[in-house]
Amino acid sequence: MIPPQPAESPAADAPRPYRSVLYIPGANERALDKAATLACDAIIFDLEDAVAPEEKPAARAMVAEKLRSVDYGRRARIVRVNALDTAWGRDDCLAMAEVNCDAILIPKVSRPEHVEAVAVLVPDRPLWAMMETAVVAWHAADIAAHPRIQGFVVGTNDLAKDIGARYRPDREPLLTAISMCLLAGKAYGRIVIDGVYNAFKDDDGLRRECDQGRDMGFDGKTLIHPAQIAIANEIFAPSEAEIDLARRQIAAYAEAEKARKGVAVVDGKIVEKLHVVAAGRTLAKAEALAGL
C-alpha cells in the first residue's frame, strides 16, 4: 500500500516530545500520583499486563479518577486498555472514552480490524497500537494507514516471546520485525516508540539501547522505571552539536539558493534540500524541548 502523505507529514513533525514514555501500573495509586511530578514526556497508564486479573475493574476506576482529578501537566496521557477479546477490554474502552486522556493504546494488534473495533467504542481519541506479535510486522503498513492511528509502541518483550528470539545486547534477532514496524509507522508519519529495557539498574545497557533506537529513527523509548527517564531524555534530544550543525546547514542552503545553486557545502559535506528538512525538524524539536 502506498502512503497517502510524504515522509515530512505533520505527525512526524509534531512538537510534543516523546523521548521518555513511562509505564505506570493502573492499580498502583502511589505511582499514579508520583507520575505527575516526573520528567517523562508521556505516561502509559497500564490496565493490561501490569494489573492482575482480579484488580482490573478497580484499576480502571482508579485510572479514570486520576485522569479527572490529577494535573499531569504537559505529559501525554496514554491509556493501555485490555484487548477486546478479554473480559475487561470493552469496559476499559468505554470508560476511557469519557475521561481526559490523549490517546488509547491498543494491545495485541495484529490487523487493522483490531484498530477499527476500538475506534467504534472510542470515537474521538487518537489511537496507538502495540506492535508486539510476529504477525503484526506483516500488517504494519495497513495498521499505520488507519486514519485514527497516531502512534506505534513496539513491544519487544512480547515480540521476542512470540518468535522465540533469545536476548542479545544488539537486539539482532528482533531487528527485522522492529524495522518493519518502524518503517511502516514512519511511512505514514506516525509516532513510533521503542520497546523497554528490562534491566532498570543497568545505565550503560540502557544508554546503548537508546543510542540504537535513536539512530534507527525511533521518537523515544518506553520505560519501566523512573530511574531510566534522564538517560532517555538526554539521548532522544538533539545535542548541542546537532543543533549547531542544523542551523549552519539551513543558513548555508539559503545562501546557495540566493546564488541559484542546488546544493551547499558544510564541513566538507554536500547539503541538499533533504538535509534542510531534517535540520528543520532538529531545530523544531530543540525549540519544543526548550519550552518545557
Side-chain angles (χ1 to χ4, degrees), residues 73-108:
R74 61 167 181 81
R75 301 162 191 84
R77 297 149 299 177
I78 304 165
V79 181
R80 181 162 73 170
V81 297
N82 287 279
L84 287 183
D85 61 358
T86 69
W88 314 282
R90 180 180 176 83
D91 288 341
D92 287 349
C93 290
L94 293 174
M96 295 307 131
E98 301 297 325
V99 301
N100 189 23
C101 67
D102 295 299
I104 301 295
L105 176 58
I106 312 167
K108 306 297 187 291

Side-chain angles (χ1 to χ4, degrees), residues 16 35-43 71-77 102:
R16 168 174 268 175
T37 71
L38 299 175
C40 54
D41 290 336
I43 302 164
D71 181 5
Y72 288 98
R74 61 167 181 81
R75 301 162 191 84
R77 297 149 299 177
D102 295 299

Side-chain angles (χ1 to χ4, degrees), residues 141-276:
D142 291 334
I143 294 166
H146 193 286
R148 293 283 302 283
I149 283 290
Q150 184 186 61
F152 282 174
V153 175
V154 178
T156 44
N157 283 335
D158 281 286
L159 183 60
K161 179 196 71 174
D162 207 32
I163 67 177
R166 293 186 177 183
Y167 171 75
R168 285 177 44 159
D170 61 7
R171 300 198 291 181
E172 184 175 354
L174 296 177
L175 288 182
T176 297
I178 290 174
S179 296
M180 289 173 72
C181 295
L182 178 64
L183 288 169
K186 292 296 183 174
Y188 286 86
R190 310 312 185 197
I191 300 155
V192 188
I193 308 298
D194 198 2
V196 300
Y197 185 71
N198 298 310
F200 64 88
K201 294 184 179 181
D202 177 11
D203 288 353
D204 290 339
L206 173 63
R207 186 173 290 276
R208 285 193 299 271
E209 201 162 285
C210 284
D211 282 338
Q212 181 193 47
R214 175 204 59 202
D215 292 351
M216 289 179 69
F218 283 103
D219 295 290
K221 193 160 186 67
T222 44
L223 311 173
I224 59 171
H225 196 280
Q228 299 176 313
I229 293 173
I231 289 175
N233 282 350
E234 173 197 340
I235 292 175
F236 283 96
S239 68
E240 289 299 323
E242 289 170 329
I243 293 169
D244 175 67
L245 177 60
R247 287 172 175 158
R248 291 189 292 118
Q249 287 176 326
I250 291 171
Y253 192 80
E255 289 298 318
E257 282 192 317
K258 289 180 182 178
R260 297 189 177 184
K261 297 178 180 178
V263 298
V265 178
V266 174
D267 297 341
K269 298 179 181 179
I270 292 293
V271 176
E272 299 177 281
K273 181 65 176 178
L274 64 93
H275 300 107
V276 174

